[in-house]
């Protein structure tokens, strides 16, 4: 186990329990990923859907006769229980819930061991971020049928957990005095939730691009792959709408995370905004997602351009986490690798 | 000149009347001047001077087309051109008749008058701005000089004006550029299709293509009036106001004369697109050419307007991205505002590059004019977008739910007595807090106005945020100072190690108070798992303000309020106390010296200088609160608390170089003229006799804290603004605007739903249907 230097005692056992749970979570997630993959591979490809839709697109009367197709697609889970691969998808989703609970226990155990909220350094932050990604995905899955999304999200969760437990793992429990504030709970938890939401939104935006590409015939080998994936995805409009919804949810939260950070900075450092690298990149992320929301209501920006914005925003968020913590020295660089 | 730039406003009605008048006069071969004079009595006051100009020109013997040029505001440019074409071909009356019939609504923006006023107001603003700028830049400094010479106290308000004038002198060009682009954008917002506003003229001059719809209109007019294409083109080529268009038309005329190739000649000379030329060729064959030309002109106009709107709307995402992009260098390069030491290091490391980066303002990105330019442009575009939207929103809100759309075959139907059903629908919708309008035959209901309201509130609140931050910057001040135990500082500029002050702040008038550090307690966790985590972090300070002395506790995350300022604990460390005795027994140094923290366990480094010793002594010191020595790390500390404090000293004797006149940092030791005497580690109470007979005693240590004192008036307002902004944003993101109509039919009612926004939701409609059925 990683925790070799820990001294004996119940506290160390709690830490070890947390690590064991994390490993177990990863194991469950691997199985979930396989099930998601099976479910995704079995999905109907959209070329069939396209053929079904074609007459509706051509005949004006047929379009008006259909009772608001977009509305029903958006309103709730896909009602089709005979969709191929649905059983595998159900299994994967159940496993994801199990993994979520296990990871939650691991995070709580970590917090108990540290005697504070478990996001004091990059390892803990990553651990909690993985929980948040999974949480946002499962949260979305209660309102929409997003079994198709699992195969893209679970590897990201696994990657986050893997990075956390191998590269970022630290035993330090030290908190710089400046971190010792209730704002740590508010500010960082909001940032973590936003991270999960931005990741899901960025993923769906990327999938939108793939699905959009897949509507044209495939050319080279790479585009064949893209089309193979893209034709198993829902219609691009649905993907676009999903990422808009998630960003719309996350953007106010992100704003509040920044504001909470500003209030905290005011009491800790004597100024509410000082263009510290972390603050700067939080601002950049904010600005990009503001641009995304604008773009979604601007004719020429909708769709592809907006999706790229969401992806760039996600990259800015990730850079704010890894890049700023590891490359720059600033007031926020007490995270401890 | 002014009337050319700002043509007086002539109403559409007057224009139509005038055209009709001219057409009938020419048709019946009656003199035009008496008719014009009669018209002058009835027309609007603003039109009269133009009529006078026209009459004068006609009476001086000019032909009608040239006379019309003397009164340029009377007729739009395309009609003037048509008059040219008509006069040259003898079909003037027919052309004028055609023009009358085409003065239909929709061609002209409805609010021409308000546009004229807007532009007028904007230019008055710019003019005032220029006058103010001149006063600020040249008058006020002179004024200030006079005050200075008489040694008089400048009143507060004047001082404020002077500060503003300084700002002006620095950024006058930026303000000018911003004001002009503001005029441009606002004017463009109310652009009118006839192309007579200054921005539209400029745009046409820059892009001759914009003149094409008017040209197509004239061609259509002349073709309707039965004129051959070649002669129309010839006239246009002579009289068109734009040289670029004239040149092309000349080339087209030459082509037409030599080959008669029709519309393809227009395409070849870049006046038409291939598809347009082909369409016109086809129209010519089916003799619907005039109609086709009209359609083409209209399409071009619409496309132009659409493009302008796109540009306007594209602006904001682009500017937002640009702002994000512009913020990046500030995080990559060291910034003067946060770390001036790193900036000077950068200068020594990159001798060539740094001055250039500095010229671009890259060491103070967030205060640089170009960064300001981006966010100010963003805010201008925001104002330009939000202000009209507020008006539109207010009007739609006042107007209430709109009329029902045309019935669609798939609208659900409820059978029954239509009036009863309408009543039920009305009460149901009203109970669900819809805005309802009941007409005899339908109920129109709308909900979710708050979406747009929230959107506007968000954007206005962002403006408020900018203002609050700006206000905080010009009215605030802050300083940093290091205080050792049992010492203090008073709140005046000279006492701070670093002090920043806003433009509107009088440095002499900042509230006087003193802060003294009585003691500083730190406790670190000794539990092996959480070794070294600070548990207690408390500074006891005595604050004297207004003659009252209070004891306060200052710690991280809980600043102390004194008068109108806040005192923050930023950092802390150790200050070893030493006594240095010269060889003759006189004490030349006895004080504690601030050492700066090097690592998490408070291994601290510092420099001690004893200039009064003979020879002068200097020491490099390393203080470890809990000392350990290892192979790799050398002397270092293993715990932040003072369990085993040891001072490692390296002594130098010689010339400290303090008398060269070059200012030296207290944290650096210039060893060039010094000789190293040796190394020694000292525990508290130890002394060390140097080779020259001098003695160093390590008496113990004090703690020091670094403190920031600041005054900020903008913070509260900024917070308020951002909270309002988030509330508005949330409303605009989550509230949906919905419309429902219940329309009476022969045997019941039909229910239609429209939802603006991203996805159509029929939930409301179905709920209403359930209530009705």
């Amino acid at each position: 186990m990683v925790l070799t230097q820990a001294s004996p005692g119940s506290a160390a056992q709690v830490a070890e329990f947390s690590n064991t749970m994390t490993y177990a979570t990863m194991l469950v997630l691997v199985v979930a990923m396989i099930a998601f993959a099976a479910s995704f591979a079995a999905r109907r490809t959209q070329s069939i859907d396209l053929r079904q839709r074609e007459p509706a697109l051509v005949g004006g009367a047929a379009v008006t006769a259909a009772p608001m197709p977009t509305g029903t697609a958006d309103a709730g889970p896909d009602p089709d229980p005979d969709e191929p691969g649905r059983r595998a998808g159900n299994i994967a989703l159940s496993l994801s819930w199990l993994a979520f609970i296990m990871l939650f226990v691991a995070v709580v155990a970590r917090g108990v061991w540290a005697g504070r909220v478990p996001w004091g350094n990059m390892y803990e932050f990553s651990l909690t971020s993985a929980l948040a990604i999974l949480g946002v995905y499962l949260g979305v899955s209660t309102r929409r049928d997003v079994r198709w999304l699992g195969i893209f999200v679970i590897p990201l969760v696994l990657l986050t957990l893997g990075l956390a437990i191998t590269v970022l793992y630290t035993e330090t429990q030290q908190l710089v005095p400046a971190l010792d504030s209730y704002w740590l709970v508010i500010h960082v938890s909001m940032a973590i939730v936003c991270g999960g939401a931005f990741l899901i939104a960025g993923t769906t935006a990327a999938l939108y691009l793939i699905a959009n590409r897949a509507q044209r015939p495939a050319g080279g080998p790479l585009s064949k792959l893209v089309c193979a994936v893209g034709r198993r995805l829902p219609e691009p409009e649905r993907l676009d709408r999903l990422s808009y919804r998630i960003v719309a949810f996350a953007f106010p939260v992100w704003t509040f995370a920044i504001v909470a950070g500003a209030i905290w900075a005011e009491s800790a450092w004597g100024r509410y905004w000082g263009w510290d690298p972390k603050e700067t990149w939080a601002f950049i992320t904010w600005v990009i997602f503001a641009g995304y929301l604008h773009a979604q209501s601007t004719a020429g920006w909708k769709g592809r351009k907006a999706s790229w914005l969401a992806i760039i925003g996600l990259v800015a968020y990730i850079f704010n986490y890894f890049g700023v913590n590891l490359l720059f020295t600033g007031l926020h660089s007490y995270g401890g690798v | 000149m002014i009337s050319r730039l700002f043509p007086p406003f002539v109403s559409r009605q007057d224009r139509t009347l005038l055209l009709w008048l001219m057409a009938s006069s020419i048709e019946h071969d009656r003199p035009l001047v008496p008719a014009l004079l009669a018209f002058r009595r009835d027309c609007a006051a603003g039109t009269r001077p133009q009529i006078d100009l026209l009459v004068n020109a006609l009476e001086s013997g000019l032909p009608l087309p040239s006379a019309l040029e003397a009164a340029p505001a009377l007729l739009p440019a395309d009609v003037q051109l048509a008059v040219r074409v008509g006069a040259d071909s003898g079909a003037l009356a027919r052309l004028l008749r055609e023009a009358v019939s085409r003065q239909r609504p929709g061609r002209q923006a409805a609010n021409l008058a308000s546009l004229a006023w807007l532009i007028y107001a904007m230019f008055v603003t710019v003019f005032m701005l220029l006058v103010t700028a001149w006063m600020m830049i040249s008058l006020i400094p002179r004024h200030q000089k006079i005050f200075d010479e008489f040694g008089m106290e400048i009143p507060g308000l004047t001082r404020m004006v002077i500060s503003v004038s300084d700002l002006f002198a620095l950024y006058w060009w930026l303000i000018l550029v911003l004001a002009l682009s503001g005029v441009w954008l606002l004017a463009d917002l109310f652009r009118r299709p006839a192309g007579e506003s200054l921005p539209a003229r400029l745009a046409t001059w820059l892009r001759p293509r914009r003149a094409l719809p008017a040209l197509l209109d004239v061609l259509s007019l002349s073709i309707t009036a039965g004129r051959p294409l070649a002669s129309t083109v010839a006239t246009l080529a002579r009289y068109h106001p734009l040289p670029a268009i004239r040149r092309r038309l000349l080339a087209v005329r030459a082509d037409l004369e030599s080959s008669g190739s029709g519309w393809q000649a227009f395409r070849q000379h870049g006046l038409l697109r291939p598809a347009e030329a082909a369409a016109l060729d086809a129209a010519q064959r089916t003799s619907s050419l005039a109609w086709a030309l009209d359609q083409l002109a209209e399409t071009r106009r619409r496309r132009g307007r659409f493009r302008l709107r796109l540009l306007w709307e594209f602006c904001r995402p682009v500017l937002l991205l640009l702002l994000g992009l512009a913020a990046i260098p500030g995080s990559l390069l060291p910034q003067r505002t946060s770390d001036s030491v790193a900036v000077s290091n950068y200068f020594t490391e990159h001798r060539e590059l740094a001055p250039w980066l500095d010229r671009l303002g890259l060491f103070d990105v967030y205060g640089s004019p170009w960064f300001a330019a981006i966010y100010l442009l963003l805010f201008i575009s925001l104002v330009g977008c939000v202000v009209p939207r507020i008006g539109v929103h207010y009007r739609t809100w006042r107007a209430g739910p709109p009329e029902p759309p045309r019935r669609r075959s798939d609208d659900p139907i409820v059978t029954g007595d239509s009036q009863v059903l309408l009543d039920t629908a009305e009460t149901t919708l009203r109970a669900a807090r819809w805005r309802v309008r009941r007409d005899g035959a339908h109920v129109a209901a709308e909900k979710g106005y708050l979406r747009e309201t929230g959107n506007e509130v968000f954007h206005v609140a962002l403006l408020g945020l900018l203002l609050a931050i700006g206000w905080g910057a010009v009215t605030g001040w802050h300083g940093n100072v290091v205080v050792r135990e049992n010492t203090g500082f008073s709140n005046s500029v000279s006492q701070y190690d670093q002090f920043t002050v806003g433009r509107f702040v009088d440095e002499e008038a900042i509230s006087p108070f003193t802060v003294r550090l009585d003691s500083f307690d730190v406790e670190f966790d000794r539990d092996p798992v959480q070794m070294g985590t600070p548990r207690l972090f408390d500074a006891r300070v005595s604050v004297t303000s207004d003659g009252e002395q209070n004891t306060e506790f200052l710690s991280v995350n809980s600043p102390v309020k004194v008068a109108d300022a806040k005192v923050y604990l930023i950092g802390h460390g150790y200050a070893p106390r030493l006594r240095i005795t010269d060889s003759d027994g006189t004490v030349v140094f006895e004080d504690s010296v601030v050492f700066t923290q090097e690592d998490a366990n408070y291994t601290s480094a510092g420099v001690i200088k004893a200039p009064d010793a003979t020879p002068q002594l200097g020491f490099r010191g390393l203080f470890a609160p809990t000392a350990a020595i290892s192979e790799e790390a050398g002397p270092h500390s293993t715990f932040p608390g003072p369990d085993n404090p040891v001072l490692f000293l390296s002594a130098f004797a010689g010339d400290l170089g303090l008398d060269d006149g070059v200012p030296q940092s207290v944290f650096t030791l210039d060893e060039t003229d010094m000789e190293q005497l040796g190394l020694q580690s000292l525990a508290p109470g130890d002394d060390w006799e140097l080779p020259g007979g001098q003695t160093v005693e390590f008496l113990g240590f004090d703690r020091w804290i670094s403190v920031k004192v600041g005054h900020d008036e903008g913070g509260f307002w900024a917070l308020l603004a951002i909270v309002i902004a988030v509330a508005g944003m949330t409303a605009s993101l989550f509230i949906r605007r919905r419309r429902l109509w219940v329309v009476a039919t022969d045997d019941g009612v039909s229910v239609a739903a429209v939802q603006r926004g991203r996805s159509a939701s029929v939930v409301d409609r179905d709920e209403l249907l359930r209530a009705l059925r």
Side-chain angles (χ1 to χ4, degrees):
Chain A
M1 276 277 146
V2 183
L3 207 77
T4 46
Q5 294 170 347
S7 60
S10 61
Q13 277 170 9
V14 172
E16 194 149 348
F17 171 69
S18 164
N19 291 343
T20 315
M21 280 308 264
T22 310
Y23 282 117
T25 306
M26 291 175 74
L27 205 68
V28 173
L29 282 177
V30 168
V31 181
M33 184 172 75
I34 294 166
F36 269 130
S39 158
F40 189 76
R43 274 175 71 91
R44 269 189 212 118
T45 57
Q46 225 189 47
S47 53
I48 301 165
D49 291 35
L50 278 177
R51 245 176 278 133
Q52 283 171 345
R53 278 197 319 193
E54 251 166 355
L57 287 174
V58 178
V63 172
T64 45
M68 303 235 177
T70 47
T72 47
D74 196 52
D78 200 338
D80 177 17
D82 299 330
E83 166 86 35
R86 196 161 170 87
R87 181 175 291 175
N90 288 344
I91 293 170
L93 210 52
S94 310
L95 284 173
S96 304
W97 277 106
L98 177 65
F100 177 74
I101 294 164
M102 288 164 74
L103 192 56
F104 183 76
V105 171
V107 168
V108 169
R110 181 79 188 182
V112 169
W113 170 68
R116 54 173 164 75
V117 284
W119 40 77
N121 52 47
M122 277 183 87
Y123 165 66
E124 293 169 357
F125 191 94
S126 303
L127 202 65
T128 319
S129 291
L131 184 71
I133 301 167
L134 211 51
V136 172
Y137 171 66
L138 291 171
V140 173
S141 81
T142 59
R143 315 194 61 180
R144 306 259 193 289
D145 179 15
V146 284
R147 287 167 176 82
W148 49 268
L149 186 57
I151 180 62
F152 306 99
V153 169
I154 302 300
L156 292 172
V157 179
L158 275 172
L159 187 70
T160 314
L161 281 177
L163 271 179
I165 209 139
T166 54
V167 183
L168 303 171
Y169 189 83
T170 36
E171 265 180 64
T172 177
Q173 288 170 310
Q174 280 189 34
L175 272 188
V176 177
L179 273 185
D180 193 10
S181 159
Y182 58 92
W183 285 109
L184 176 70
V185 182
I186 302 166
H187 169 63
V188 183
S189 63
M190 282 174 140
I192 289 173
V193 170
C194 284
F198 286 153
L199 193 82
I200 305 279
T203 310
T204 45
L207 292 177
Y208 166 85
L209 293 175
I210 290 174
N212 201 32
R213 170 68 189 79
Q215 294 202 324
R216 283 177 288 128
L222 183 68
S223 72
K224 274 203 184 97
L225 179 71
V226 166
C227 288
V229 173
R231 290 196 179 128
R232 286 176 167 79
L233 291 170
E235 310 85 77
E237 299 76 41
R238 231 178 108 188
L239 294 168
D240 198 28
R241 214 157 43 229
L242 185 59
S243 39
Y244 175 80
R245 285 280 156 77
I246 297 171
V247 173
F249 153 77
F251 189 67
V253 183
W254 182 242
T255 314
F256 258 126
I258 294 176
V259 173
I263 297 172
W264 187 9
E266 203 273 336
S267 69
W269 302 322
R271 87 285 183 292
Y272 51 86
W273 193 266
W275 297 106
D276 179 69
K278 200 69 150 193
E279 293 169 346
T280 305
W281 280 92
F283 172 74
I284 292 170
T285 312
W286 188 88
V287 155
I288 293 172
F289 278 109
Y292 170 82
L293 291 177
H294 261 117
Q296 283 286 11
S297 60
T298 305
W301 279 80
K302 231 177 221 165
R304 281 181 53 208
K305 285 199 189 99
S307 297
W308 277 111
L309 277 180
I311 295 168
I312 295 170
L314 173 64
V315 170
Y317 180 92
I318 293 174
F319 182 78
N320 196 9
Y321 178 43
F322 288 106
V324 173
N325 277 23
L326 303 178
L327 300 179
F328 301 134
T329 52
L331 289 168
H332 280 79
S333 51
Y334 37 54
V337 175
Chain B
M1 181 64 193
I2 294 294
S3 72
R4 276 190 72 88
L5 283 179
F6 303 103
F9 169 66
V10 176
S11 74
R12 195 157 52 81
Q13 193 188 354
D14 277 357
R15 271 184 186 163
T16 319
L17 266 174
L18 185 71
L19 281 172
W20 177 82
L21 194 79
M22 292 196 300
S24 64
S25 297
I26 291 162
E27 257 173 21
H28 300 99
D29 225 5
R30 283 200 300 259
L32 190 58
V33 173
L36 282 174
L37 287 174
F39 173 63
R40 189 186 175 281
R41 279 197 299 279
D42 301 331
C43 69
T47 317
R48 277 177 206 152
Q50 294 284 311
I51 300 281
D52 289 342
L53 286 173
L54 179 62
V55 168
N56 285 342
L58 284 173
E59 281 181 337
S60 68
L62 284 175
L64 183 61
S66 314
L68 275 173
E69 257 170 30
L74 270 182
L75 295 176
D78 54 339
V79 178
Q80 285 195 33
L81 275 176
V83 171
R84 279 275 176 212
V85 171
D88 271 25
S89 59
L92 184 57
R94 282 191 66 188
L95 267 169
L96 283 172
R97 279 257 177 243
E98 269 305 310
V100 173
S101 70
R102 284 172 187 220
Q103 289 287 315
R104 56 177 185 258
R107 275 286 172 88
Q108 314 232 338
N111 52 353
L112 283 183
S114 65
L115 174 81
W117 273 108
L118 180 80
I119 293 187
Y120 175 72
M122 293 303 298
F123 269 81
V124 169
T125 314
V126 171
F127 181 71
M128 296 289 286
L129 214 73
L130 287 174
V131 171
T132 324
W134 173 71
M135 277 169 61
M136 294 281 184
I137 292 167
S138 80
L139 269 191
I140 288 183
R142 265 185 248 161
H143 202 69
Q144 189 181 9
K145 220 173 176 183
I146 295 170
F147 266 99
D148 283 350
E149 276 163 10
F150 282 95
M152 276 160 70
E153 178 82 7
I154 303 174
L157 195 65
T158 318
R159 224 177 6 244
M160 206 151 145
V161 173
I162 290 170
S163 316
V164 176
S165 117
D166 289 347
L167 200 72
F168 239 94
L170 266 175
Y171 292 125
W172 63 271
W173 54 272
L174 186 68
I175 293 170
L176 194 69
V177 166
L178 287 174
L180 283 175
S181 45
V183 173
W184 169 271
L185 287 174
L186 269 178
D188 212 39
L189 189 78
F190 291 91
R191 65 200 157 270
R192 42 181 172 172
E196 280 139 297
S197 70
L198 178 67
R201 278 179 180 212
L202 262 174
T204 312
W205 184 73
L206 289 172
R207 282 191 64 231
R209 231 176 241 281
R210 275 181 60 111
L212 269 183
L215 193 71
L216 292 172
D217 270 347
V218 176
L219 287 173
S220 158
L221 269 177
S222 75
I223 281 167
T224 317
R227 300 288 314 137
L229 181 63
S231 75
T232 311
V233 170
T235 313
L236 284 173
R238 261 180 74 196
Y239 293 110
H240 199 278
L242 287 177
I245 299 282
R246 275 207 301 273
R247 218 171 29 246
R248 288 175 191 195
L249 284 171
L250 273 175
V252 171
R253 193 187 64 168
D255 274 14
L256 284 178
E257 277 168 2
S258 61
S259 66
S261 63
W263 298 103
Q264 294 304 322
F266 282 82
R267 179 184 64 77
Q268 273 160 23
H269 297 290
L271 286 172
L272 289 178
R273 297 201 177 85
E276 291 169 337
L280 288 178
D281 274 338
Q284 195 155 26
R285 280 195 294 277
T286 57
S287 42
S288 53
L289 193 56
W291 175 82
L293 280 165
D294 266 357
Q295 292 300 310
L296 212 58
E298 200 47 44
T299 313
R300 281 233 172 187
R301 281 212 178 87
R302 211 176 299 137
R303 196 184 296 142
R305 269 183 300 230
F306 178 66
R307 281 204 184 136
L308 267 174
R309 215 191 75 218
L310 269 194
L311 192 75
W312 183 256
E313 286 186 349
F314 252 64
C315 242
R316 221 130 23 102
V318 167
L319 282 172
L320 277 169
L321 272 191
L322 212 62
L323 192 63
L325 224 65
I328 293 176
S331 73
L332 302 176
L333 289 167
Q335 298 293 296
R336 283 214 177 81
T337 45
S338 56
D339 195 353
S340 54
V341 180
V343 175
S344 39
N345 288 345
Y346 194 89
F347 263 84
T348 45
E349 279 166 33
H350 307 267
R351 280 174 193 290
E352 300 285 315
L353 188 63
W356 280 103
L357 295 179
D358 197 24
R359 256 164 244 167
L360 293 172
L362 285 172
F363 294 115
D364 185 15
V365 167
Y366 311 109
S368 68
W370 53 268
F371 193 74
I374 297 175
Y375 68 73
L376 287 178
L377 269 177
L378 189 67
F379 277 99
I380 286 176
S381 114
L382 202 142
V383 171
C385 193
V386 166
V387 169
R389 273 179 82 160
I390 290 176
V392 170
H393 181 50
Y394 176 70
R395 280 195 293 277
T396 44
W397 180 78
R398 280 284 305 273
E403 294 289 303
R406 214 171 47 184
R407 237 192 93 192
R408 291 194 335 194
S409 55
D410 62 319
D411 284 342
I413 291 168
V414 184
T415 46
D417 179 21
S418 62
Q419 287 306 317
V420 173
L421 283 170
L422 284 180
D423 286 343
T424 320
E426 190 184 349
T427 44
T428 314
L429 289 167
R430 278 198 201 279
R433 315 208 316 134
W434 288 65
R435 252 187 88 135
V436 180
R437 203 180 54 197
R438 170 78 187 269
D439 266 352
H442 68 259
V443 169
E446 192 166 17
K447 200 178 184 179
Y449 291 90
L450 264 179
R451 180 190 183 89
E452 180 64 16
T453 312
N455 191 356
E456 280 148 17
V457 164
F458 170 67
H459 287 102
V460 172
L462 279 190
L463 282 176
L465 177 67
L466 185 75
L467 286 180
I469 291 172
W471 178 250
V474 293
T475 59
W477 50 263
H478 57 89
N480 287 56
V481 63
V482 168
V483 198
R484 285 166 290 157
E485 276 174 308
N486 298 315
T487 64
F489 69 97
S490 61
N491 186 29
S492 71
V493 178
S494 60
Q495 296 259 312
Y496 288 104
D497 302 333
Q498 191 200 339
F499 195 77
T500 317
V501 65
R503 250 163 212 289
F504 293 168
V505 178
D506 178 9
E507 287 180 19
E508 306 298 312
I510 57 177
S511 48
F513 58 82
T514 60
V515 178
R516 186 186 152 84
L517 177 63
D518 298 333
S519 67
F520 183 59
D521 295 327
V522 192
E523 264 176 34
F524 299 99
D525 203 317
R526 289 175 186 282
D527 183 58
V529 183
Q530 308 221 358
M531 190 82 159
T533 309
R535 283 288 169 230
L536 181 86
F537 206 75
D538 238 352
R540 204 174 65 150
V541 289
S542 302
V543 179
T544 315
S545 171
D546 287 335
E548 247 181 84
Q549 187 173 343
N550 291 316
T551 301
E552 305 263 10
F553 288 95
L554 173 67
S555 69
V556 175
N557 283 325
S558 76
V560 169
K561 277 197 80 153
V562 189
D564 60 352
K566 273 184 177 174
V567 182
Y568 304 88
L569 179 62
I570 300 295
H572 71 104
Y574 290 95
R577 175 176 283 279
L578 293 109
R579 185 192 293 142
I580 301 169
T581 320
D582 230 345
S583 43
D584 59 357
T586 46
V587 175
V588 290
F589 182 93
E590 182 174 354
D591 204 356
S592 53
V593 181
V594 170
F595 275 35
T596 51
Q597 180 191 349
E598 303 261 284
D599 64 24
N601 284 322
Y602 282 86
T603 310
S604 308
V607 162
I608 304 126
K609 297 174 191 176
D612 296 338
T614 36
Q616 288 185 330
L617 290 177
F619 302 88
R620 269 178 202 292
L622 199 70
F623 177 78
T626 303
I629 298 181
S630 71
E631 285 283 320
E632 321 84 75
H636 66 282
S637 175
T638 54
F639 184 72
D643 286 358
N644 173 27
V646 174
L647 179 65
F648 301 91
L649 282 182
S650 161
F652 296 84
D655 183 8
L656 284 168
L658 292 176
D659 307 324
D660 300 350
V662 184
Q664 256 188 32
S665 161
V666 291
F667 295 111
T668 57
L669 183 68
D670 182 9
E671 298 161 14
T672 41
D673 296 326
M674 302 194 87
E675 178 197 354
Q676 185 164 15
L677 298 177
L679 299 162
Q680 184 70 20
S681 63
L682 302 165
D686 287 356
D687 53 19
W688 175 25
E689 195 169 328
L690 298 172
Q694 294 138 315
T695 321
V696 186
E697 284 172 81
F698 176 35
L699 301 172
F701 60 88
D702 290 333
R703 291 179 191 270
W704 58 262
I705 58 172
S706 74
V707 160
K708 174 173 176 167
V709 184
H711 166 71
D712 177 60
E713 293 174 14
F716 169 75
W717 299 109
L719 182 63
L720 188 69
I722 196 86
V723 167
I724 293 173
V726 173
M729 175 211 300
T730 314
S732 78
L733 285 174
F734 294 112
I735 291 175
R736 298 188 201 168
R737 190 144 174 202
R738 291 153 291 177
R739 285 173 178 171
L740 279 180
W741 292 276
V742 186
V743 184
T745 57
D746 298 335
D747 55 349
V749 290
S750 78
V751 182
V754 161
Q755 197 211 325
R756 305 171 105 208
R758 295 188 57 79
S759 73
S761 153
V762 283
V763 177
D764 294 313
R765 188 190 62 180
D766 294 346
E767 244 169 55
L768 181 64
L769 282 172
R770 269 197 297 282
L772 291 178
R773 270 165 186 162

